[in-house]
Amino acid sequence: MSPANIVVATDERFAMPLAVTLRSLLETADPGGRIRLFILDGGLTDETRQRLARSCADSRIVEICWLPIDATTVGELPVSGHFSPAGYYRILIPKVLPADVGRVLYLDGDLLIRRDVLSLLSLEQGDHLCLAAQDSACPYFDSFAALDDYRRSAPYIVARRPVPNAPELGIEGRQPYFNSGVMVIDVDGWRRESVCERLVECLRVNRDFVRWWDQYALNVVLAGRWGPLDLRWNQGTHVFQYPSWRQSPFPRETFESLRDDPFIVHFSSPVKPWHAECRHSYRDEWIRHLDRTEWRGWRPTLHPLRRLGKQAYWLLRERVRRSLRRTQLILNEGLVR
């Protein structure tokens, strides 16, 4: 049996979280599986490479391929906030992987894996250029057009139109929008259809409209060409912002299984489990896997002044959120009328 090709990307900033992603992958993967691991390397030190390699030491990994990436390759593409240039490395996969690699599973570095991800590479892909899970924070190109009762979900959806210029690009608003943190990629198809070049060009031409960086381009270029994964393969942090399934964009069974039984937890908000202020439901589980890596025992620290203001911060944050939701409801009423 050929090994499963898995691709991850990192720089020094995300090396420790990546170790947790890989450790949790190995804890849950098929005992009889074989893995060929490709690490898109955005400038790791030799010491960090060694720590990562020791963190995922396992007989099932038949090879670790370190693929240095020149950061200037994506240097002109927009970045902001918690996003690092390493997030763009996935769009270079067809160019940097060996020619004999025709299909891969790509994984972000801020995941906690709770089921056997190797099973994803046994799924039928057909003519889809990738398989991915719909984004729970912004599930459609236009949620107002796609949802029968948009007002119910509107206060909690991050963006009604995650691609603001989708109509001008000829993309129908009812089409679903996916999260790029977990993807089964037809690498041969991407090479054949020059997807890498089209993604870079999309980001360049539409720079003023780009939201969520690479994900903007992937959704635009692959619109109508991707297949859906079970949402549980990519549980975004935003799912916890919906008070219940009634306010979510999904049916009850879909929403509750996504919230309560994720196969992969994606820490997709700016506050990550390695930040002291993180209160994510799966943070303790992330810490348990951290302690199985070369970073065992590490814990974040909070500056004393921030510690004093922490409670006040969370109270203020909730008040602001409630105020914004009320404002959104008022705006939605006007929109529907």
Side-chain angles (χ1 to χ4, degrees):
M1 180 179 67
S2 299
N5 294 310
I6 293 180
V7 180
V8 295
T10 193
D11 51 21
E12 279 290 319
R13 180 180 168 188
F14 268 80
M16 181 183 67
L18 176 61
V20 178
T21 296
L22 295 175
R23 193 66 251 162
S24 63
L25 182 158
L26 292 165
E27 297 285 341
T28 53
D30 178 357
R34 299 171 68 239
I35 299 168
R36 189 181 183 193
L37 178 62
F38 296 91
I39 300 180
L40 309 184
D41 176 358
L44 298 175
T45 65
D46 288 341
E47 179 187 356
T48 299
R49 281 190 180 192
Q50 292 168 16
R51 294 181 80 181
L52 274 171
R54 290 195 299 268
S55 294
C56 59
D58 191 286
S59 61
R60 288 168 294 179
I61 296 185
V62 298
E63 183 180 12
I64 298 180
C65 303
W66 303 91
L67 301 175
I69 303 293
D70 181 358
T72 62
T73 308
V74 295
E76 296 184 1
L77 300 180
V79 295
S80 60
H82 67 284
F83 187 80
S84 120
Y88 281 121
Y89 295 168
R90 78 197 80 186
I91 71 178
L92 304 175
I93 283 175
K95 287 186 170 294
V96 299
L97 260 61
D100 67 322
V101 178
R103 192 179 189 221
V104 303
L105 171 62
Y106 169 82
L107 300 170
D108 264 359
D110 55 353
L111 307 178
L112 173 67
I113 297 174
R114 308 177 76 240
R115 293 290 190 281
D116 178 18
V117 295
L118 303 187
S119 64
L120 291 175
L121 285 166
S122 66
L123 296 176
E124 291 294 327
Q125 191 154 346
D127 61 356
H128 295 125
L129 290 173
C130 85
L131 304 178
Q134 190 175 8
D135 197 309
S136 62
C138 36
Y140 297 96
F141 277 91
D142 186 342
S143 289
F144 177 68
L147 295 171
D148 292 336
D149 189 359
Y150 173 68
R151 289 179 299 177
R152 180 190 63 189
S153 304
Y156 309 101
I157 289 176
V158 169
R160 170 189 163 183
R161 287 179 173 170
V163 177
N165 61 330
E168 291 74 20
L169 296 172
I171 301 174
E172 204 274 323
R174 291 180 177 270
Q175 288 196 54
Y177 173 94
F178 69 87
N179 184 282
S180 61
V182 178
M183 295 187 292
V184 180
I185 297 174
D186 175 5
V187 182
D188 284 337
W190 281 34
R191 292 184 181 120
R192 197 166 50 246
E193 301 197 24
S194 302
V195 170
C196 176
E197 292 80 2
R198 291 162 59 197
L199 291 169
V200 173
E201 180 67 5
C202 176
L203 288 163
R204 187 186 67 79
V205 172
N206 298 288
R207 187 183 186 92
D208 292 341
F209 300 97
V210 171
R211 268 182 169 172
W212 300 300
W213 315 287
D214 67 296
Q215 198 163 277
Y216 172 96
L218 285 162
N219 273 276
V220 168
V221 171
L222 301 181
R225 299 295 309 277
W226 63 278
L229 294 175
D230 187 314
L231 297 184
R232 289 174 291 180
W233 284 113
N234 191 347
Q235 183 215 61
T237 302
H238 193 76
V239 71
F240 297 105
Q241 297 304 315
Y242 297 105
S244 76
W245 72 272
R246 291 180 179 84
Q247 290 82 28
S248 84
F250 306 115
R252 180 172 187 169
E253 183 177 354
T254 301
F255 173 78
E256 291 183 350
S257 64
L258 172 62
R259 182 192 61 195
D260 301 333
D261 186 28
F263 299 161
I264 293 178
V265 177
H266 186 180
F267 299 101
S268 53
S269 72
V271 180
K272 307 289 189 181
W274 54 94
H275 297 149
E277 61 267 34
C278 180
R279 302 197 304 178
H280 196 288
S281 300
Y282 287 93
R283 184 174 187 263
D284 288 347
E285 191 171 330
W286 186 90
I287 291 289
R288 287 197 296 273
H289 284 285
L290 173 69
D291 286 340
R292 298 185 180 107
T293 75
E294 287 294 301
W295 282 265
R296 63 182 61 87
W298 181 91
R299 296 295 184 272
T301 57
L302 195 64
H303 189 279
L305 292 177
R306 292 183 66 191
R307 188 178 295 113
L308 287 172
K310 188 176 178 183
Q311 184 175 6
Y313 165 78
W314 286 109
L315 288 172
L316 177 61
R317 175 176 165 174
E318 290 308 309
R319 286 176 184 170
V320 170
R321 279 184 172 174
R322 285 196 294 269
S323 176
L324 289 174
R325 286 169 186 165
R326 285 195 296 269
T327 302
Q328 186 66 58
L329 283 171
I330 293 168
L331 292 173
N332 289 336
E333 288 293 333
L335 178 66
V336 171
R337 289 173 189 160

